[in-house]
Amino acid sequence: DTGVSQDPRHKITKRGQNVTFRCDPISEHNRLYWYRQTLGQGPEFLTYFQNEAQLEKSRLLSDRFSAERPKGSFSTLEIQRTEQGDSAMYLCASSLRGLALKETQYFGPGTRLLVL
Amino acid sequence: KQEVTQIPAALSVPEGENLVLNCSFTDSAIYNLQWFRQDPGKGLTSLLLIQSSQREQTSGRLNASLDKSSGRSTLYIAASQPGDSATYLCAPYTGGGNKLTFGTGTQLKVEL
């Protein structure tokens, strides 16, 4: 499978615990995005990387959230001291930087987080 | 700040009907616009990308149009099938933020 993969697919945790999600982009893609989607809403942008550099972060990304892409390949998203409001689907997408007119983002299956 | 609205929020049609989903956006300075499909509890599948310089893009029974100056896009689905049942999301790509901005989607149900 050469698509975007995410792990785990589901995570249930207790409030106050830390969780970490992983995203593996399409192998030649140098851009990687994280989005969050709550029930009945469209995805909302969280952050994006170009290679290993984190170039933009949304105000939605509080101090409890941190994302890394250490070697410009896979990325991790960590949430510390989880709160019930963090319950959502976390989506990863990747793209190949090129002509902006044609840049297509490809999404993974998502990680569904439930904070009890 | 880009804002995206999709109308209708939900749509139920009998199999075989042609239908139109609407998307409007406030910031016309976009590079392209993508239409996605999302099945319940799943990730997003890219259906069509229409560049800002294009008026239309077609893939099979799907046709997307873009009127960038008025901030509108439509997705036309011909001869709908039960397998088309899903939520359809539009997302303009704003190069300044290098991100997609999504609407809340149109939930489509095609009945036998």
Side-chain angles (χ1 to χ4, degrees), chain B residues 25-75:
Chain B
F25 48 95
T26 55
D27 183 355
S28 61
I30 65 170
Y31 285 110
N32 62 50
L33 184 144
Q34 279 186 258
W35 280 92
F36 293 90
R37 169 190 173 132
Q38 186 173 34
D39 293 291
K42 306 292 185 183
L44 278 65
T45 300
S46 181
L47 297 173
L48 286 166
L49 180 145
I50 182 164
Q51 300 175 29
S52 61
S53 57
Q54 296 176 321
R55 298 283 293 181
E56 284 190 6
Q57 189 66 252
T58 298
S59 175
R61 294 183 294 108
L62 305 179
N63 176 277
S65 68
L66 176 65
D67 184 343
K68 181 182 165 185
S69 60
S70 66
R72 294 178 187 174
S73 178
T74 60
L75 179 67

Short mmCIF file of all heavy atoms in Angstrom, two decimals, chain B residues 25-75:
data_model
loop_
_atom_site.label_atom_id
_atom_site.label_comp_id
_atom_site.label_asym_id
_atom_site.label_seq_id
_atom_site.Cartn_x
_atom_site.Cartn_y
_atom_site.Cartn_z
N PHE B 25 -17.05 30.07 -1.05
CA PHE B 25 -15.91 30.44 -0.22
C PHE B 25 -15.70 31.94 -0.29
O PHE B 25 -16.06 32.59 -1.28
CB PHE B 25 -14.64 29.67 -0.62
CG PHE B 25 -14.36 29.68 -2.10
CD1 PHE B 25 -13.50 30.61 -2.66
CD2 PHE B 25 -14.93 28.72 -2.94
CE1 PHE B 25 -13.23 30.62 -4.01
CE2 PHE B 25 -14.67 28.73 -4.30
CZ PHE B 25 -13.83 29.67 -4.84
N THR B 26 -15.13 32.50 0.78
CA THR B 26 -15.08 33.96 0.91
C THR B 26 -13.82 34.59 0.31
O THR B 26 -13.85 35.74 -0.11
CB THR B 26 -15.19 34.36 2.39
OG1 THR B 26 -14.16 33.69 3.12
CG2 THR B 26 -16.55 33.99 2.95
N ASP B 27 -12.72 33.86 0.31
CA ASP B 27 -11.45 34.41 -0.19
C ASP B 27 -11.16 33.79 -1.56
O ASP B 27 -10.88 32.60 -1.65
CB ASP B 27 -10.32 34.09 0.79
CG ASP B 27 -8.99 34.68 0.37
OD1 ASP B 27 -8.90 35.27 -0.74
OD2 ASP B 27 -8.02 34.56 1.15
N SER B 28 -11.23 34.61 -2.60
CA SER B 28 -11.08 34.08 -3.95
C SER B 28 -9.62 33.89 -4.37
O SER B 28 -9.35 33.39 -5.45
CB SER B 28 -11.78 35.00 -4.95
OG SER B 28 -11.20 36.29 -4.92
N ALA B 29 -8.68 34.25 -3.50
CA ALA B 29 -7.26 34.09 -3.82
C ALA B 29 -6.82 32.66 -3.54
O ALA B 29 -6.02 32.39 -2.63
CB ALA B 29 -6.43 35.07 -2.98
N ILE B 30 -7.34 31.74 -4.34
CA ILE B 30 -7.03 30.33 -4.14
C ILE B 30 -6.19 29.81 -5.29
O ILE B 30 -6.23 30.35 -6.41
CB ILE B 30 -8.32 29.48 -4.00
CG1 ILE B 30 -9.12 29.51 -5.31
CG2 ILE B 30 -9.17 29.98 -2.84
CD1 ILE B 30 -10.29 28.52 -5.34
N TYR B 31 -5.43 28.76 -5.03
CA TYR B 31 -4.69 28.09 -6.09
C TYR B 31 -5.54 27.01 -6.76
O TYR B 31 -5.49 26.80 -7.96
CB TYR B 31 -3.41 27.46 -5.55
CG TYR B 31 -2.33 28.46 -5.25
CD1 TYR B 31 -1.95 28.73 -3.94
CD2 TYR B 31 -1.67 29.13 -6.27
CE1 TYR B 31 -0.96 29.65 -3.67
CE2 TYR B 31 -0.67 30.05 -6.00
CZ TYR B 31 -0.32 30.31 -4.70
OH TYR B 31 0.66 31.22 -4.42
N ASN B 32 -6.26 26.29 -5.93
CA ASN B 32 -7.13 25.25 -6.47
C ASN B 32 -8.21 24.93 -5.46
O ASN B 32 -8.24 25.50 -4.36
CB ASN B 32 -6.33 23.99 -6.84
CG ASN B 32 -5.63 23.34 -5.65
OD1 ASN B 32 -6.25 23.09 -4.62
ND2 ASN B 32 -4.36 23.03 -5.81
N LEU B 33 -9.09 24.05 -5.83
CA LEU B 33 -10.15 23.60 -4.93
C LEU B 33 -10.30 22.10 -5.12
O LEU B 33 -10.36 21.60 -6.24
CB LEU B 33 -11.46 24.32 -5.24
CG LEU B 33 -12.64 24.03 -4.31
CD1 LEU B 33 -13.48 25.29 -4.08
CD2 LEU B 33 -13.52 22.92 -4.84
N GLN B 34 -10.33 21.38 -4.00
CA GLN B 34 -10.50 19.93 -4.06
C GLN B 34 -11.88 19.56 -3.55
O GLN B 34 -12.38 20.16 -2.57
CB GLN B 34 -9.45 19.22 -3.19
CG GLN B 34 -8.10 19.05 -3.86
CD GLN B 34 -7.12 18.21 -3.04
OE1 GLN B 34 -6.24 18.72 -2.38
NE2 GLN B 34 -7.29 16.91 -3.10
N TRP B 35 -12.44 18.56 -4.15
CA TRP B 35 -13.65 17.90 -3.66
C TRP B 35 -13.25 16.53 -3.12
O TRP B 35 -12.50 15.80 -3.77
CB TRP B 35 -14.69 17.75 -4.76
CG TRP B 35 -15.47 19.00 -5.04
CD1 TRP B 35 -15.18 19.97 -5.97
CD2 TRP B 35 -16.68 19.42 -4.39
NE1 TRP B 35 -16.13 20.96 -5.94
CE2 TRP B 35 -17.06 20.65 -4.98
CE3 TRP B 35 -17.48 18.89 -3.37
CZ2 TRP B 35 -18.21 21.35 -4.59
CZ3 TRP B 35 -18.60 19.59 -2.99
CH2 TRP B 35 -18.96 20.80 -3.59
N PHE B 36 -13.77 16.24 -1.92
CA PHE B 36 -13.47 14.98 -1.26
C PHE B 36 -14.77 14.25 -0.95
O PHE B 36 -15.84 14.85 -0.78
CB PHE B 36 -12.74 15.22 0.08
CG PHE B 36 -11.37 15.78 -0.05
CD1 PHE B 36 -11.18 17.15 -0.06
CD2 PHE B 36 -10.27 14.96 -0.10
CE1 PHE B 36 -9.91 17.70 -0.16
CE2 PHE B 36 -8.98 15.48 -0.18
CZ PHE B 36 -8.81 16.86 -0.22
N ARG B 37 -14.60 12.95 -0.78
CA ARG B 37 -15.68 12.11 -0.29
C ARG B 37 -15.22 11.51 1.03
O ARG B 37 -14.05 11.12 1.18
CB ARG B 37 -15.94 11.00 -1.30
CG ARG B 37 -16.84 9.90 -0.81
CD ARG B 37 -16.85 8.74 -1.75
NE ARG B 37 -17.60 7.66 -1.13
CZ ARG B 37 -18.56 6.97 -1.72
NH1 ARG B 37 -18.88 7.21 -2.99
NH2 ARG B 37 -19.19 6.02 -1.08
N GLN B 38 -16.15 11.43 2.01
CA GLN B 38 -15.83 10.81 3.29
C GLN B 38 -16.95 9.86 3.68
O GLN B 38 -18.10 10.28 3.83
CB GLN B 38 -15.62 11.87 4.39
CG GLN B 38 -15.14 11.27 5.70
CD GLN B 38 -14.79 12.32 6.73
OE1 GLN B 38 -15.39 13.38 6.80
NE2 GLN B 38 -13.78 12.03 7.56
N ASP B 39 -16.59 8.60 3.84
CA ASP B 39 -17.54 7.61 4.34
C ASP B 39 -17.51 7.65 5.86
O ASP B 39 -16.50 8.04 6.47
CB ASP B 39 -17.17 6.23 3.80
CG ASP B 39 -17.38 6.15 2.30
OD1 ASP B 39 -18.54 6.18 1.87
OD2 ASP B 39 -16.38 6.11 1.56
N PRO B 40 -18.59 7.23 6.52
CA PRO B 40 -18.68 7.36 7.98
C PRO B 40 -17.49 6.73 8.70
O PRO B 40 -17.15 5.57 8.47
CB PRO B 40 -19.99 6.63 8.30
CG PRO B 40 -20.80 6.77 7.08
CD PRO B 40 -19.83 6.68 5.93
N GLY B 41 -16.86 7.50 9.55
CA GLY B 41 -15.75 7.01 10.35
C GLY B 41 -14.46 6.78 9.59
O GLY B 41 -13.51 6.20 10.14
N LYS B 42 -14.40 7.24 8.37
CA LYS B 42 -13.22 7.00 7.53
C LYS B 42 -12.49 8.30 7.22
O LYS B 42 -12.95 9.40 7.54
CB LYS B 42 -13.65 6.34 6.21
CG LYS B 42 -14.46 5.08 6.36
CD LYS B 42 -13.67 3.95 6.94
CE LYS B 42 -14.49 2.67 6.96
NZ LYS B 42 -13.73 1.55 7.60
N GLY B 43 -11.34 8.15 6.54
CA GLY B 43 -10.61 9.32 6.07
C GLY B 43 -11.23 9.89 4.82
O GLY B 43 -12.32 9.50 4.41
N LEU B 44 -10.54 10.83 4.21
CA LEU B 44 -11.05 11.54 3.03
C LEU B 44 -10.45 10.96 1.76
O LEU B 44 -9.25 10.68 1.71
CB LEU B 44 -10.68 13.02 3.11
CG LEU B 44 -11.56 13.93 3.94
CD1 LEU B 44 -11.52 13.58 5.42
CD2 LEU B 44 -11.17 15.37 3.74
N THR B 45 -11.28 10.82 0.75
CA THR B 45 -10.83 10.38 -0.56
C THR B 45 -10.94 11.55 -1.53
O THR B 45 -12.03 12.12 -1.67
CB THR B 45 -11.68 9.20 -1.06
OG1 THR B 45 -11.58 8.11 -0.14
CG2 THR B 45 -11.21 8.73 -2.44
N SER B 46 -9.85 11.89 -2.17
CA SER B 46 -9.88 12.99 -3.13
C SER B 46 -10.62 12.56 -4.39
O SER B 46 -10.35 11.51 -4.96
CB SER B 46 -8.45 13.41 -3.49
OG SER B 46 -8.46 14.49 -4.39
N LEU B 47 -11.59 13.38 -4.80
CA LEU B 47 -12.38 13.08 -5.99
C LEU B 47 -11.89 13.87 -7.20
O LEU B 47 -11.66 13.32 -8.27
CB LEU B 47 -13.86 13.43 -5.75
CG LEU B 47 -14.55 12.64 -4.65
CD1 LEU B 47 -15.94 13.21 -4.40
CD2 LEU B 47 -14.63 11.17 -5.01
N LEU B 48 -11.77 15.16 -7.01
CA LEU B 48 -11.40 16.04 -8.11
C LEU B 48 -10.60 17.21 -7.57
O LEU B 48 -10.87 17.68 -6.46
CB LEU B 48 -12.64 16.61 -8.81
CG LEU B 48 -13.45 15.69 -9.72
CD1 LEU B 48 -14.79 16.32 -10.04
CD2 LEU B 48 -12.68 15.42 -11.01
N LEU B 49 -9.65 17.66 -8.34
CA LEU B 49 -8.97 18.92 -8.06
C LEU B 49 -9.18 19.81 -9.28
O LEU B 49 -8.93 19.39 -10.41
CB LEU B 49 -7.47 18.70 -7.83
CG LEU B 49 -6.65 19.96 -7.53
CD1 LEU B 49 -5.54 19.66 -6.54
CD2 LEU B 49 -6.07 20.58 -8.79
N ILE B 50 -9.65 21.01 -9.02
CA ILE B 50 -9.85 21.96 -10.10
C ILE B 50 -8.95 23.17 -9.84
O ILE B 50 -8.98 23.77 -8.76
CB ILE B 50 -11.34 22.33 -10.25
CG1 ILE B 50 -11.57 23.27 -11.41
CG2 ILE B 50 -11.94 22.88 -8.98
CD1 ILE B 50 -13.03 23.36 -11.84
N GLN B 51 -8.12 23.46 -10.79
CA GLN B 51 -7.16 24.55 -10.64
C GLN B 51 -7.88 25.89 -10.77
O GLN B 51 -8.91 25.99 -11.44
CB GLN B 51 -6.07 24.44 -11.70
CG GLN B 51 -5.27 23.15 -11.61
CD GLN B 51 -4.28 23.01 -12.74
OE1 GLN B 51 -3.79 24.00 -13.27
NE2 GLN B 51 -3.97 21.78 -13.10
N SER B 52 -7.30 26.91 -10.19
CA SER B 52 -7.95 28.23 -10.20
C SER B 52 -8.10 28.78 -11.61
O SER B 52 -8.98 29.60 -11.86
CB SER B 52 -7.16 29.22 -9.34
OG SER B 52 -5.86 29.38 -9.86
N SER B 53 -7.26 28.30 -12.53
CA SER B 53 -7.34 28.78 -13.91
C SER B 53 -8.34 27.98 -14.74
O SER B 53 -8.59 28.31 -15.90
CB SER B 53 -5.96 28.69 -14.56
OG SER B 53 -5.49 27.35 -14.50
N GLN B 54 -8.90 26.93 -14.16
CA GLN B 54 -9.84 26.08 -14.89
C GLN B 54 -11.28 26.44 -14.55
O GLN B 54 -11.57 26.98 -13.48
CB GLN B 54 -9.59 24.60 -14.53
CG GLN B 54 -8.23 24.08 -14.97
CD GLN B 54 -7.99 22.66 -14.53
OE1 GLN B 54 -8.36 22.26 -13.42
NE2 GLN B 54 -7.35 21.88 -15.40
N ARG B 55 -12.17 26.09 -15.45
CA ARG B 55 -13.60 26.30 -15.22
C ARG B 55 -14.28 25.01 -14.82
O ARG B 55 -15.25 25.02 -14.08
CB ARG B 55 -14.25 26.86 -16.47
CG ARG B 55 -13.73 28.21 -16.92
CD ARG B 55 -14.28 29.32 -16.08
NE ARG B 55 -15.70 29.53 -16.25
CZ ARG B 55 -16.38 30.48 -15.62
NH1 ARG B 55 -15.78 31.27 -14.78
NH2 ARG B 55 -17.67 30.61 -15.82
N GLU B 56 -13.78 23.88 -15.35
CA GLU B 56 -14.41 22.59 -15.11
C GLU B 56 -13.36 21.50 -15.03
O GLU B 56 -12.27 21.61 -15.61
CB GLU B 56 -15.37 22.23 -16.25
CG GLU B 56 -16.68 22.96 -16.24
CD GLU B 56 -17.65 22.37 -17.25
OE1 GLU B 56 -17.34 21.33 -17.87
OE2 GLU B 56 -18.73 22.95 -17.42
N GLN B 57 -13.75 20.42 -14.35
CA GLN B 57 -12.91 19.23 -14.30
C GLN B 57 -13.85 18.05 -14.18
O GLN B 57 -14.83 18.10 -13.42
CB GLN B 57 -11.97 19.30 -13.09
CG GLN B 57 -10.89 18.24 -13.04
CD GLN B 57 -9.90 18.36 -14.17
OE1 GLN B 57 -9.88 17.55 -15.10
NE2 GLN B 57 -9.07 19.38 -14.12
N THR B 58 -13.54 16.99 -14.92
CA THR B 58 -14.45 15.83 -14.97
C THR B 58 -13.71 14.57 -14.62
O THR B 58 -12.54 14.38 -15.02
CB THR B 58 -15.07 15.71 -16.37
OG1 THR B 58 -15.84 16.89 -16.64
CG2 THR B 58 -15.99 14.50 -16.47
N SER B 59 -14.42 13.67 -13.89
CA SER B 59 -13.90 12.35 -13.63
C SER B 59 -15.09 11.40 -13.57
O SER B 59 -15.88 11.42 -12.62
CB SER B 59 -13.14 12.32 -12.30
OG SER B 59 -12.73 11.00 -11.99
N GLY B 60 -15.24 10.60 -14.62
CA GLY B 60 -16.36 9.67 -14.67
C GLY B 60 -17.69 10.38 -14.61
O GLY B 60 -17.98 11.27 -15.41
N ARG B 61 -18.49 10.02 -13.60
CA ARG B 61 -19.83 10.64 -13.46
C ARG B 61 -19.79 11.96 -12.69
O ARG B 61 -20.84 12.56 -12.44
CB ARG B 61 -20.76 9.66 -12.73
CG ARG B 61 -21.07 8.39 -13.52
CD ARG B 61 -22.06 7.48 -12.78
NE ARG B 61 -21.50 6.94 -11.55
CZ ARG B 61 -21.85 7.31 -10.33
NH1 ARG B 61 -22.80 8.23 -10.16
NH2 ARG B 61 -21.29 6.76 -9.27
N LEU B 62 -18.60 12.39 -12.32
CA LEU B 62 -18.45 13.61 -11.54
C LEU B 62 -17.94 14.74 -12.42
O LEU B 62 -17.06 14.54 -13.25
CB LEU B 62 -17.47 13.40 -10.39
CG LEU B 62 -17.75 12.25 -9.43
CD1 LEU B 62 -16.64 12.19 -8.38
CD2 LEU B 62 -19.10 12.42 -8.78
N ASN B 63 -18.52 15.92 -12.18
CA ASN B 63 -18.05 17.11 -12.88
C ASN B 63 -18.03 18.26 -11.87
O ASN B 63 -19.04 18.53 -11.22
CB ASN B 63 -18.98 17.45 -14.04
CG ASN B 63 -18.60 18.74 -14.73
OD1 ASN B 63 -18.98 19.83 -14.29
ND2 ASN B 63 -17.84 18.64 -15.81
N ALA B 64 -16.88 18.89 -11.73
CA ALA B 64 -16.76 20.03 -10.83
C ALA B 64 -16.56 21.29 -11.65
O ALA B 64 -15.81 21.29 -12.63
CB ALA B 64 -15.60 19.85 -9.86
N SER B 65 -17.22 22.35 -11.25
CA SER B 65 -17.02 23.64 -11.88
C SER B 65 -16.52 24.63 -10.85
O SER B 65 -16.73 24.45 -9.65
CB SER B 65 -18.32 24.14 -12.51
OG SER B 65 -19.26 24.44 -11.51
N LEU B 66 -15.86 25.66 -11.33
CA LEU B 66 -15.31 26.68 -10.43
C LEU B 66 -15.52 28.05 -11.04
O LEU B 66 -15.17 28.28 -12.21
CB LEU B 66 -13.81 26.44 -10.21
CG LEU B 66 -13.07 27.47 -9.37
CD1 LEU B 66 -13.59 27.46 -7.93
CD2 LEU B 66 -11.56 27.21 -9.40
N ASP B 67 -16.10 28.94 -10.25
CA ASP B 67 -16.19 30.35 -10.59
C ASP B 67 -15.44 31.09 -9.48
O ASP B 67 -16.01 31.44 -8.45
CB ASP B 67 -17.64 30.80 -10.67
CG ASP B 67 -17.78 32.25 -11.11
OD1 ASP B 67 -16.77 33.00 -11.06
OD2 ASP B 67 -18.88 32.66 -11.51
N LYS B 68 -14.16 31.27 -9.72
CA LYS B 68 -13.28 31.80 -8.69
C LYS B 68 -13.68 33.21 -8.28
O LYS B 68 -13.69 33.55 -7.09
CB LYS B 68 -11.84 31.76 -9.20
CG LYS B 68 -10.81 32.26 -8.23
CD LYS B 68 -9.44 32.24 -8.87
CE LYS B 68 -8.48 33.06 -8.06
NZ LYS B 68 -7.15 33.17 -8.70
N SER B 69 -14.04 34.03 -9.23
CA SER B 69 -14.31 35.43 -8.93
C SER B 69 -15.53 35.60 -8.03
O SER B 69 -15.59 36.51 -7.20
CB SER B 69 -14.51 36.23 -10.22
OG SER B 69 -15.59 35.70 -10.96
N SER B 70 -16.49 34.68 -8.16
CA SER B 70 -17.68 34.78 -7.32
C SER B 70 -17.58 33.86 -6.11
O SER B 70 -18.50 33.82 -5.28
CB SER B 70 -18.94 34.44 -8.11
OG SER B 70 -18.93 33.09 -8.51
N GLY B 71 -16.49 33.12 -5.99
CA GLY B 71 -16.29 32.25 -4.83
C GLY B 71 -17.24 31.08 -4.78
O GLY B 71 -17.77 30.77 -3.71
N ARG B 72 -17.43 30.41 -5.91
CA ARG B 72 -18.37 29.29 -5.95
C ARG B 72 -17.80 28.12 -6.72
O ARG B 72 -17.11 28.28 -7.72
CB ARG B 72 -19.68 29.71 -6.60
CG ARG B 72 -20.46 30.73 -5.83
CD ARG B 72 -21.72 31.12 -6.56
NE ARG B 72 -22.40 32.23 -5.91
CZ ARG B 72 -23.46 32.83 -6.41
NH1 ARG B 72 -23.97 32.45 -7.57
NH2 ARG B 72 -24.03 33.82 -5.75
N SER B 73 -18.17 26.93 -6.23
CA SER B 73 -17.87 25.71 -6.95
C SER B 73 -19.08 24.79 -6.82
O SER B 73 -19.80 24.83 -5.82
CB SER B 73 -16.63 25.02 -6.39
OG SER B 73 -16.37 23.81 -7.06
N THR B 74 -19.30 23.99 -7.84
CA THR B 74 -20.37 23.00 -7.77
C THR B 74 -19.80 21.64 -8.15
O THR B 74 -18.88 21.53 -8.96
CB THR B 74 -21.54 23.33 -8.71
OG1 THR B 74 -21.05 23.37 -10.06
CG2 THR B 74 -22.17 24.67 -8.37
N LEU B 75 -20.36 20.62 -7.54
CA LEU B 75 -20.04 19.24 -7.90
C LEU B 75 -21.32 18.62 -8.43
O LEU B 75 -22.33 18.56 -7.74
CB LEU B 75 -19.54 18.45 -6.69
CG LEU B 75 -19.21 16.98 -6.96
CD1 LEU B 75 -17.99 16.88 -7.89
CD2 LEU B 75 -18.92 16.24 -5.66
#
